């Protein structure tokens, strides 16, 4: 029991220092995480880029280093009691056994949708690097858009930090399964996306504060998407205030009069993105 408490404390310490990540969904970081037998695996993101540029970060680096050493020693002691070869984990994937095959979804083309997800992924990364998520608002549920827009502002824009995402490439998209909805309960679909990119952060003076322009990062994500159970969904609706056509999923704001638009028959939107694993290839 005592060792379990120590392990818990170590994890809490790590969470305190492991908040600085940089791709959309905030899953890329200073170290690798997750673990599997394929080439997309990695390890837990354990560094906080904010320590290197926050104006109010006045703790001596020696103290931070000492804390990290202590935490690593505790984790090492705990891991010896666990399974041999175990590696730190990313987010817990959905249990595929609880899902139905995607063929249970009406009016759904698997081949078309995998291509659509690849396009959505690239658009998200471009918007994140540009520091403006407004162009991809229709791709996200309202709560998830609000969450990510606030995070981008708090951790990057307000601090003068730019996340550079270059050579973005989607390597693989797999649809895991679905949970068909009914009436007011939306259809839900789960997918994994494996991608490769180069990521580094610069401050307001253009100085690199974390990452390397030569390192390739391999990420595996799990996406949760949802759509209205009304499969007659239309992506383009007319603004009830000014009548302008708007590209909208469930919620969007009119680019002409800023009215909030709700579309009861909405198409697929991203409700959540989880980072499953990360692996860095240094060059």
């Amino acid at each position: 029991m005592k060792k379990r408490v120590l392990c818990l404390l170590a994890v809490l310490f790590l969470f305190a220092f492991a908040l600085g990540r940089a791709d959309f969904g905030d899953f890329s970081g200073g170290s690798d995480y997750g673990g599997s037998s394929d080439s997309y695996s990695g390890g837990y993101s354990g560094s906080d880029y904010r320590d290197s540029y926050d104006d109010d970060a006045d703790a001596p680096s020696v103290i931070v280093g000492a804390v990290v050493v202590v935490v690593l020693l505790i984790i090492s002691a705990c891991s010896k009691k666990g399974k041999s070869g175990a590696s730190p984990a990313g987010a817990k994937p959905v249990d595929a056994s609880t899902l139905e095959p995607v063929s249970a979804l009406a009016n759904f083309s698997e081949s078309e949708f995998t291509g659509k997800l690849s396009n959505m992924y690239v658009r998200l990364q471009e918007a994140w690097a540009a520091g403006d998520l407004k162009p991809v608002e229709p791709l996200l549920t309202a709560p998830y858009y609000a969450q990510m827009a606030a995070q981008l502002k708090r951790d990057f824009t307000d601090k003068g930090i730019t996340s550079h995402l270059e050579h973005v490439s989607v390597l693989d998209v797999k649809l895991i399964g679905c949970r068909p909805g009914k009436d007011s309960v939306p259809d839900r679909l789960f997918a994994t996306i494996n991608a490769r990119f180069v990521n580094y952060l610069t401050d307001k003076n253009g100085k690199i504060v974390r990452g390397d322009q030569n390192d390739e990062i391999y990420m595996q994500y799990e996406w949760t998407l949802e759509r209205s159970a009304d499969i007659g969904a239309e992506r383009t609706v007319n603004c009830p205030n000014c009548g302008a056509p708007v590209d909208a999923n469930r919620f969007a704001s009119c680019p002409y009069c800023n009215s909030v638009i709700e579309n009861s028959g909405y198409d697929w939107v991203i409700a959540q993105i989880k980072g499953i694993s990360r692996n860095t290839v240094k060059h």
Side-chain angles (χ1 to χ4, degrees), residues 64-107:
V64 175
V67 171
V68 171
V69 170
V70 171
V71 170
L72 291 176
L73 287 174
I74 295 174
I75 293 175
S76 177
C78 294
S79 64
K80 290 180 181 178
K81 300 296 289 183
K83 293 182 179 180
S84 175
S87 61
K92 184 178 179 180
V94 66
D95 183 356
S97 66
T98 65
L99 306 177
E100 296 186 40
V102 294
S103 58
L105 293 169
N107 293 354

Side-chain angles (χ1 to χ4, degrees), residues 36-217:
S36 69
S37 59
D38 59 39
S39 61
Y40 308 120
S41 63
Y44 186 72
S45 173
S47 69
D48 185 346
Y49 71 85
R50 289 175 293 180
D51 289 339
S52 63
Y53 62 79
D54 271 0
D55 293 334
D56 58 349
D58 55 358
S61 59
V62 65
I63 296 178
V64 175
V67 171
V68 171
V69 170
V70 171
V71 170
L72 291 176
L73 287 174
I74 295 174
I75 293 175
S76 177
C78 294
S79 64
K80 290 180 181 178
K81 300 296 289 183
K83 293 182 179 180
S84 175
S87 61
K92 184 178 179 180
V94 66
D95 183 356
S97 66
T98 65
L99 306 177
E100 296 186 40
V102 294
S103 58
L105 293 169
N107 293 354
F108 183 79
S109 171
E110 182 172 351
S111 59
E112 290 180 6
F113 196 69
T114 53
K116 181 178 181 178
L117 289 187
S118 295
N119 178 266
M120 291 170 72
Y121 176 82
V122 174
R123 288 179 63 188
L124 291 178
Q125 301 306 331
E126 290 175 345
W128 189 263
D132 181 12
L133 298 186
K134 201 66 179 176
V136 295
E137 182 181 7
L139 304 182
L140 312 171
T141 62
Y144 195 49
Y145 172 78
Q147 173 191 335
M148 300 315 302
Q151 180 182 325
L152 181 62
K153 181 178 185 298
R154 180 190 68 238
D155 293 343
F156 293 89
T157 308
D158 288 351
K159 295 179 180 294
I161 298 298
T162 300
S163 177
H164 299 267
L165 287 148
E166 302 173 352
H167 309 298
V168 177
S169 175
V170 177
L171 305 176
D172 180 57
V173 176
K174 291 181 180 179
L175 305 185
I176 307 170
C178 70
R179 292 191 180 119
K182 185 178 180 181
D183 299 327
S184 61
V185 177
D187 292 331
R188 288 193 171 87
L189 184 144
F190 301 83
T192 58
I193 294 181
N194 292 294
R196 177 183 63 211
F197 53 85
V198 172
N199 175 229
Y200 56 96
L201 306 181
T202 58
D203 61 17
K204 58 186 177 182
N205 297 316
K207 178 183 177 182
I208 295 179
V209 294
R210 203 202 66 205
D212 193 304
Q213 293 171 286
N214 297 314
D215 290 350
E216 288 185 316
I217 298 173

